[in-house]
C-alpha cells in the first residue's frame, strides 16, 4: 500500500461511525431480543423508542414479519410523560402463542413508523427463540388415557412394539408401563413393567467463574461483544434468565458471547446466566455478570497534529525526534496526560515515545529485504490518555515513509572477459555485464559504452540488461581482441536524481578465428543432355548440390564462362535453359562460380557443366496431292550413369597444367600429321574428366564402348565437311563424335 492508500485509511479511521450522531425515528433499532419457548402469552417482548420532531399526534407504527405466521400482537403505542416528542412502541406475545425453538428459532420483525408530516422509516427487530425446560413428547397418545398398539399373534420375539421419545427429563426417574396382549379370539394377558431411570455419570455443568464484573464505555453497540462466559460440561447451552426487560443484552446459546442489542447508555446491569446440558436440561448451573456502562461526560484530549504523516531519510540517526504532540486535556488535578505507542512489532521496534515526542529508536535501513517487505512504510498509533474516572483517550494515527539515500557506488563484475567467433552474425550476444550495487534495489543499474559503435568498436550494450551484442564486422586478422569501457550508473537509489553515482568497468572481448572453408559441390563436373523446348519457354536443366562453411551463410551462384550467347542463367542453385528459335546441336561448356561466406571473408569454388542441347524435331510438310500426317515424336533421351572418380580441384589443376605442357611438347610433332589429314579445328582443353559413356548412332562407334579418362580424349574439334563436333585424343588420335 502506498502513501496515498495509508493516508486514506487513516482519514477513514477518523471518520468512523460514532463521531457524529444522526437523529432517527427508531433509535433503538436494529436490535436482537432473546425469548424462551416457555414464555407465556401476553409477555412483553420488546419496547422500542419512537422519536418525532413534533408532538401533534402519536406516530403510526405497524408490525410486519418475514415469517408468514408469527406469534406477536400489533404494536401498542404509549407516550413518554417526560418528553412530548418521544413515544414507546411495545411488542407483546399474542394469546395462545406456542413457541417451538426446534421449528422456528428466530423471527425477523419489520417495524415501520411514520410521525405526522414525516417520512416513513423502516427498521428490523430480531427475536431469538431459545429452548425451554418443559417435558414434551414427540407424538401425543391416540386417546386421553391410553394408546392402543395392535400386533399379530405370530410376532417374532424381541420385536419393538412401542417407542416413547420424551424430551429432556426434569426430575422424572420412573416409568410405569402396563402391557396387555390380546389375540384374535379375545384371549388376553397383561403384564406390568416398571422402568427406573438411573442417574447419569456424565460430568455436571459448572461455571469455573460464577461471578464476573465487566466495564464498558457508553455508546458501544449495537451487537458488539461485551464479554463471554464459559461453563464446563457436555452439550452446554447458555441463556439469560434475568433481566427480561428492558432487553439490553443477548447471549449466543452455543458460544456464550454476550452482545449489546442497542447503543448502551450509562447504566449498570446484573445478568443472571444459566448454562445447561441441551440433552438433560435438569443439569444446569448459574452465574452472575455485572456490566457497568461508564458515561463519557469528560472530554477526550485534543492533540495537534491529529494525524502525523512524514517522510524521513534512511540515514536519520537514532534518537532523532519526528514530531512533538501538543495536547490539551482536563484542567482538574487528575488531568495528567499519558502517551503510549501502539502498532505492529516492526513499528514498535523502530520508534518510541518519550513524553509527547515520537523518536527514532533504531537505524532505518532502506537497503534490506525486511524493509522492502514492509513497503518502506511504518504505521502506528499514539494513544494519549487523560487521568481521572472515567479515563478518556485520543488516538493519533502515524504514517512514516522511509526514503532511500544513495550511499554506495556501483561495483564492476569480478570477471568481464568474453570470447566470440569472428564469424558471429549481426545481433549475436557476446555476453552480459552483471554489475551490482549495495543500495536497494541492487539490480537498478543502467549500462552504456564509452564511445560510439564503429569499425574499432563493433559492439553495443543493452541499457537495462547489460547484454553486449555484435553490430559490425569482426576481423581476427586486424583485431585479436577488443577493449570496451562500460559505464555503470545507478537509478532509483535517491529521491534527488542529481545524486546518481557511476563507475567505469573494463570489458575484454576476444575474437576466435574460424578457418576458411570453400563451398563444396557434389559433383564438381557434370555432363548433361537436354532437348530444346519451345522458344520463349523456361527449361530447368539441373540443380547444384553445394554447401558452405559452419557459418551457414547463403550461397550465391554465377555463370562466369561458356554462356556467351546468354542461353543459360542461374536461378538460385538451379541452371535454367532459355530455348531460342535456332538451336545448334553443339555442347555448351559452362563454368559456374559458387560464392560463400560474408563480408570480407567470401570464398568461391568452380563447377563445370557440359550441356548437350538437341534441337526439337520438326513435322514433315504435307503434299499437295497426297494428304499425309506425320506424328511428332518426343525425343528419347537415354542416359547411362557410371560410377567414376571425381578428383579434387587441386588435382584437376595440376593435371590440366601437366596436359598443357605435354600438348605444347607434342604439338609440333603432331602438327604436320594433323594438317595433312584434316583441317585444323578449334582446340578445347577440358578441365576435368567426363566420366560418361555415350551410345551414338554412328556405325563406326557401335560395338566399341570405351570409358573416358583425362589421358584419352583431351581435345575438341569440328569437321569442316559435315560441321559436326567431336572429341579426340592427342596421344592416340582416337575420336568420338558429339
Amino acid at each position: 500500500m502506498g502513501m496515498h492508500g495509508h493516508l486514506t485509511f487513516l482519514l477513514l479511521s477518523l471518520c468512523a461511525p460514532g463521531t457524529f450522531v444522526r437523529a432517527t425515528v427508531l433509535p433503538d433499532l436494529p436490535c436482537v431480543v432473546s425469548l424462551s419457548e416457555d414464555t407465556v402469552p401476553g409477555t412483553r417482548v420488546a419496547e422500542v423508542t419512537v422519536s418525532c420532531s413534533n408532538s401533534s399526534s402519536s406516530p403510526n407504527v405497524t408490525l410486519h414479519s418475514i415469517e408468514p405466521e408469527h406469534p406477536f400482537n400489533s404494536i401498542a403505542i404509549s407516550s413518554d410523560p417526560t418528553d412530548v416528542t418521544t413515544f414507546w412502541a411495545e411488542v407483546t406475545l399474542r394469546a395462545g402463542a406456542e413457541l417451538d425453538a426446534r421449528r422456528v428459532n428466530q423471527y425477523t420483525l419489520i417495524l415501520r413508523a411514520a410521525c405526522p408530516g414525516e417520512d416513513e422509516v423502516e427498521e428490523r427487530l430480531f427475536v431469538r427463540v431459545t429452548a425451554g425446560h418443559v417435558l414434551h413428547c414427540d407424538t401425543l397418545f391416540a386417546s386421553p388415557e391410553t394408546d392402543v398398539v395392535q400386533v399379530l399373534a405370530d410376532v417374532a420375539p424381541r420385536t419393538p412394539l412401542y417407542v416413547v421419545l420424551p424430551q429432556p427429563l426434569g426430575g422424572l426417574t420412573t416409568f410405569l408401563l402396563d402391557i396387555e396382549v390380546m389375540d384374535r379370539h379375545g384371549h388376553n394377558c397383561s403384564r406390568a413393567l416398571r422402568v427406573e431411570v438411573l442417574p447419569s455419570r456424565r460430568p455436571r455443568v459448572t461455571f469455573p467463574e460464577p461471578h464476573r464484573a465487566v466495564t464498558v464505555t457508553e455508546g458501544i453497540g449495537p451487537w458488539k461483544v461485551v464479554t463471554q462466559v464459559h461453563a464446563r460440561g457436555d452439550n452446554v447451552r447458555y441463556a439469560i434468565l434475568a433481566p427480561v426487560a428492558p432487553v439490553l443484552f443477548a447471549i449466543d446459546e452455543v458460544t456464550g458471547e454476550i452482545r449489546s442489542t442497542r447503543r448502551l447508555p450509562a447504566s449498570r446491569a446484573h445478568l443472571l446466566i444459566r448454562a445447561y446440558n441441551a440433552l438433560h436440561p435438569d443439569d444446569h448451573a448459574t452465574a452472575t455478570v455485572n456490566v457497568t456502562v461508564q458515561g463519557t461526560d469528560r472530554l477526550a484530549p485534543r492533540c495537534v497534529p491529529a494525524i502525523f504523516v512524514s517522510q524521513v531519510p534512511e540515514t536519520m540517526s537514532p534518537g532523532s525526534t519526528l514530531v512533538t504532540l501538543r495536547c490539551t486535556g482536563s484542567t482538574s488535578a487528575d488531568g495528567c496526560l499519558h502517551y503510549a505507542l501502539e502498532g505492529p512489532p516492526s513499528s514498535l521496534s523502530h520508534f518510541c515515545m518519550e513524553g509527547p515526542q515520537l523518536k527514532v529508536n533504531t537505524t532505518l535501513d532502506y537497503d534490506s529485504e525486511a524493509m522492502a517487505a514492509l513497503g518502506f512504510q511504518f504505521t502506528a498509533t499514539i494513544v494519549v490518555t487523560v487521568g481521572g474516572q472515567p479515563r478518556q483517550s485520543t488516538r493519533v494515527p502515524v504514517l512514516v515513509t522511509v526514503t532511500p539515500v544513495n550511499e554506495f557506488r556501483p561495483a564492476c563484475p569480478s570477471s568481464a572477459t568474453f570470447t566470440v567467433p569472428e564469424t558471429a552474425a549481426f545481433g549475436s550476444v557476446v555476453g552480459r555485464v552483471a554489475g551490482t550495487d549495495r543500495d536497494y534495489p541492487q539490480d537498478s543499474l543502467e549500462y552504456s559504452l564509452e564511445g560510439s559503435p564503429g569499425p574499432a568498436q563493433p559492439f553495443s550494450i543493452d541499457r537495462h540488461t547489460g547484454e553486449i551484442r555484435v553490430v559490425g564486422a569482426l576481423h581476427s586478422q586486424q583485431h585479436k581482441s577488443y577493449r570496451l569501457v562500460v559505464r555503470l550508473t545507478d537509478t532509483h537509489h535517491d529521491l534527488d536524481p542529481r545524486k546518481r553515482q557511476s563507475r567505469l568497468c573494463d570489458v575484454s572481448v576476444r575474437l576466435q578465428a574460424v578457418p576458411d572453408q570453400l563451398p563444396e559441390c557434389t559433383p564438381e563436373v557434370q555432363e548433361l543432355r537436354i532437348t530444346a523446348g519451345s522458344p520463349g519457354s523456361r527449361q530447368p536443366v539441373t540443380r547444384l548440390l553445394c554447401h558452405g562453411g559452419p557459418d551457414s551463410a547463403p550461397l550465391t551462384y554465377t555463370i562466369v564462362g561458356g554462356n556467351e550467347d546468354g542461353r543459360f542463367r542461374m536461378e538460385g542453385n538451379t541452371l535454367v535453359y532459355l530455348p531460342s528459335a535456332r538451336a545448334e546441336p553443339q555442347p555448351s561448356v559452362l563454368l559456374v562460380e559458387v560464392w560463400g561466406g560474408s563480408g570480407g571473408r567470401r570464398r568461391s569454388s568452380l563447377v563445370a557443366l557440359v550441356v548437350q542441347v538437341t534441337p526439337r524435331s520438326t513435322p514433315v510438310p504435307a503434299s499437295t496431292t497426297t494428304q499425309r500426317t506425320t506424328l511428332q515424336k518426343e525425343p528419347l533421351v537415354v542416359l547411362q550413369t557410371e560410377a567414376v572418380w571425381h578428383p579434387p580441384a587441386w588435382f584437376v589443376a595440376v593435371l590440366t597444367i601437366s596436359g598443357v605442357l605435354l600438348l605444347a611438347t607434342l604439338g609440333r610433332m603432331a602438327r604436320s600429321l594433323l594438317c595433312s589429314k584434316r583441317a585444323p579445328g578449334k582446340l578445347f582443353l577440358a578441365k576435368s574428366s567426363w566420366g560418361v559413356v555415350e551410345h551414338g548412332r554412328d556405325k563406326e562407334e557401335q560395338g566399341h564402348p570405351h570409358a573416358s579418362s583425362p589421358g584419352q580424349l583431351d581435345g575438341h574439334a569440328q569437321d569442316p565437311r559435315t560441321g559436326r563436333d567431336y572429341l579426340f585424343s592427342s596421344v592416340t588420335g582416337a575420336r568420338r563424335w558429339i
Side-chain angles (χ1 to χ4, degrees):
M1 180 185 294
M3 181 188 305
H4 177 71
H6 281 290
L7 184 57
T8 304
F9 170 76
L10 296 176
L11 294 176
L12 290 177
S13 300
L14 293 180
C15 299
T19 306
F20 302 97
V21 179
R22 184 180 59 181
T24 59
V25 175
L26 300 174
D28 296 337
L29 297 182
C31 68
V32 180
V33 177
S34 296
L35 193 64
S36 175
E37 63 179 355
D38 298 336
T39 304
V40 298
T43 302
R44 182 174 64 181
V45 178
E47 190 176 49
V48 181
T49 303
V50 182
S51 299
C52 297
S53 59
N54 58 73
S55 59
S56 60
S57 60
S58 60
N60 180 25
V61 182
T62 58
L63 178 65
H64 306 272
S65 175
I66 296 179
E67 292 75 15
E69 297 181 1
H70 63 85
F72 304 100
N73 293 318
S74 300
I75 300 295
I77 301 297
S78 60
S79 60
D80 189 348
T82 61
D83 189 354
V84 295
T85 61
T86 303
F87 301 87
W88 300 96
E90 187 177 57
V91 181
T92 58
L93 196 64
R94 62 179 171 83
E98 293 184 0
L99 302 179
D100 189 350
R102 294 177 299 170
R103 186 172 61 89
V104 180
N105 60 2
Q106 179 172 305
Y107 291 92
T108 302
L109 305 181
I110 301 175
L111 278 71
R112 295 174 180 167
C115 295
E118 299 181 6
D119 295 335
E120 185 180 62
V121 176
E122 179 181 295
E123 294 291 349
R124 298 196 177 195
L125 174 65
F126 302 94
V127 180
R128 286 190 174 183
V129 180
T130 59
H133 310 287
V134 179
L135 178 64
H136 296 282
C137 289
D138 283 353
T139 305
L140 299 178
F141 292 107
S143 64
E145 297 180 356
T146 61
D147 197 2
V148 178
V149 179
Q150 294 181 354
V151 297
L152 298 177
D154 55 353
V155 64
R158 307 182 66 84
T159 300
L161 301 180
Y162 194 81
V163 179
V164 178
L165 298 176
Q167 289 293 324
L169 303 177
L172 187 60
T173 60
T174 304
F175 290 97
L176 296 177
L177 303 180
D178 187 7
I179 302 175
E180 181 178 356
V181 181
M182 180 180 297
D183 61 10
R184 68 181 64 180
H185 302 291
H187 303 97
N188 62 350
C189 63
S190 61
R191 292 290 186 273
L193 180 62
R194 179 186 179 91
V195 181
E196 294 184 356
V197 181
L198 299 178
S200 175
R201 296 181 180 179
R202 64 182 181 277
R204 303 289 297 178
V205 177
T206 58
F207 273 106
E209 188 180 1
H211 303 283
R212 174 179 294 186
V214 180
T215 302
V216 295
T217 306
E218 179 185 11
I220 188 175
W223 207 239
K224 296 294 183 180
V225 177
V226 176
T227 186
Q228 182 179 11
V229 296
H230 177 72
R232 299 190 183 100
D234 296 336
N235 304 311
V236 177
R237 298 293 185 269
Y238 303 91
I240 297 178
L241 299 181
V244 178
V247 182
L248 297 178
F249 303 94
I251 189 170
D252 190 302
E253 63 176 356
V254 178
T255 63
E257 288 183 344
I258 300 176
R259 298 175 179 267
S260 60
T261 60
R262 64 182 69 178
R263 293 189 181 276
L264 299 179
S267 60
R268 295 179 181 270
H270 303 280
L271 305 181
L272 182 61
I273 309 299
R274 168 174 285 184
Y276 61 93
N277 190 317
L279 301 180
H280 305 279
D282 59 327
D283 181 10
H284 58 82
T286 58
T288 59
V289 177
N290 296 327
V291 181
T292 302
V293 183
Q294 292 185 347
T296 56
D297 296 335
R298 299 172 59 89
L299 296 177
R302 296 181 179 180
C303 297
V304 177
I307 300 176
F308 177 68
V309 179
S310 177
Q311 291 183 349
V312 297
E314 61 173 325
T315 54
M316 178 169 284
S317 59
S320 301
T321 301
L322 298 179
V323 65
T324 300
L325 297 182
R326 299 187 301 275
C327 302
T328 58
S330 175
T331 57
S332 59
D334 57 351
C336 181
L337 298 178
H338 302 275
Y339 300 86
L341 188 64
E342 296 180 354
S346 57
S347 300
L348 300 181
S349 62
H350 285 82
F351 305 99
C352 62
M353 293 297 299
E354 289 186 5
Q357 294 181 341
L358 176 64
K359 293 190 174 184
V360 178
N361 191 40
T362 185
T363 303
L364 305 175
D365 187 9
Y366 187 94
D367 309 319
S368 64
E369 294 295 338
M371 182 68 73
L374 297 174
F376 310 101
Q377 292 181 334
F378 295 94
T379 58
T381 303
I382 302 176
V383 181
V384 183
T385 306
V386 62
Q389 295 296 330
R391 300 173 65 89
Q392 301 295 326
S393 61
T394 296
R395 308 175 72 86
V396 179
V398 175
L399 174 62
V400 178
T401 301
V402 181
T403 59
V405 176
N406 197 353
E407 303 177 86
F408 309 100
R409 293 179 61 192
C412 297
S414 57
S415 176
T417 301
F418 307 102
T419 302
V420 61
E422 62 178 343
T423 57
F426 183 89
S428 301
V429 177
V430 177
R432 178 176 179 271
V433 180
T436 58
D437 199 317
R438 293 172 58 187
D439 291 311
Y440 188 89
Q442 284 79 10
D443 57 349
S444 182
L445 297 174
E446 289 184 355
Y447 301 84
S448 61
L449 284 177
E450 295 294 305
S452 303
Q457 184 173 283
F459 303 98
S460 67
I461 191 169
D462 189 277
R463 178 181 178 184
H464 302 287
T465 63
E467 284 186 347
I468 299 177
R469 295 180 179 270
V470 178
V471 295
L474 304 178
H475 303 283
S476 60
Q477 298 177 355
Q478 300 178 6
H479 299 277
K480 298 299 182 182
S481 64
Y482 293 88
R483 178 182 175 273
L484 307 180
V485 180
V486 179
R487 178 179 293 274
L488 308 182
T489 306
D490 53 19
T491 60
H492 307 97
H493 291 168
D494 202 295
L495 296 181
D496 189 354
R498 297 173 299 178
K499 295 184 179 180
R500 299 175 62 180
Q501 301 189 44
S502 62
R503 185 185 295 272
L504 297 179
C505 302
D506 292 333
V507 177
S508 177
V509 179
R510 299 176 181 175
L511 294 187
Q512 182 180 5
V514 178
D516 297 338
Q517 183 172 353
L518 300 177
E520 296 183 2
C521 299
T522 305
E524 296 180 351
V525 178
Q526 298 186 46
E527 184 175 358
L528 307 166
R529 288 179 178 274
I530 63 172
T531 301
S534 59
S537 63
R538 173 184 170 277
Q539 189 172 355
V541 178
T542 185
R543 178 177 295 177
L544 302 183
L545 301 178
C546 305
H547 61 87
D551 56 353
S552 300
L555 302 178
T556 58
Y557 303 84
T558 306
I559 300 176
V560 297
N563 192 28
E564 289 77 7
D565 53 1
R567 293 186 300 164
F568 298 90
R569 72 181 181 189
M570 294 298 301
E571 295 181 359
N573 64 336
T574 302
L575 177 65
V576 177
Y577 175 67
L578 304 175
S580 61
R582 180 181 179 183
E584 298 180 358
Q586 60 180 4
S588 298
V589 181
L590 305 177
L591 294 180
V592 180
E593 188 173 16
V594 183
W595 287 90
S598 60
R601 300 183 55 81
R602 291 178 59 82
R603 301 291 184 268
S604 66
S605 298
L606 288 177
V607 177
L609 303 176
V610 179
V611 183
Q612 177 68 46
V613 180
T614 303
R616 298 182 59 191
S617 60
T618 58
V620 178
S623 175
T624 59
T625 59
T626 303
Q627 183 177 0
R628 297 180 181 179
T629 302
T630 302
L631 298 178
Q632 181 179 356
K633 296 183 179 180
E634 294 292 335
L636 178 63
V637 180
V638 179
L639 297 180
Q640 180 176 351
T641 304
E642 294 183 0
V644 297
W645 173 59
H646 295 282
W650 64 269
F651 183 80
V652 175
V654 173
L655 186 61
T656 302
I657 296 173
S658 300
V660 172
L661 295 177
L662 179 61
L663 292 176
T665 304
L666 299 177
R668 296 180 180 181
M669 296 174 61
R671 180 183 300 274
S672 59
L673 295 175
L674 294 175
C675 292
S676 62
K677 293 182 180 181
R678 56 184 176 274
K682 179 172 58 178
L683 183 62
F684 169 77
L685 297 180
K687 294 188 177 183
S688 62
S689 63
W690 306 112
V692 178
V693 176
E694 175 185 276
H695 296 274
R697 290 179 295 180
D698 294 336
K699 296 182 179 180
E700 63 182 22
E701 293 182 32
Q702 293 182 359
H704 300 282
H706 59 276
S708 61
S709 63
Q712 293 177 351
L713 302 178
D714 53 4
H716 174 227
Q718 188 179 43
D719 192 337
R721 293 174 299 174
T722 63
R724 295 182 58 184
D725 292 339
Y726 60 89
L727 301 177
F728 67 91
S729 173
S730 61
V731 179
T732 62
R735 95 175 42 169
R736 187 177 64 181
W737 296 96
I738 299 178

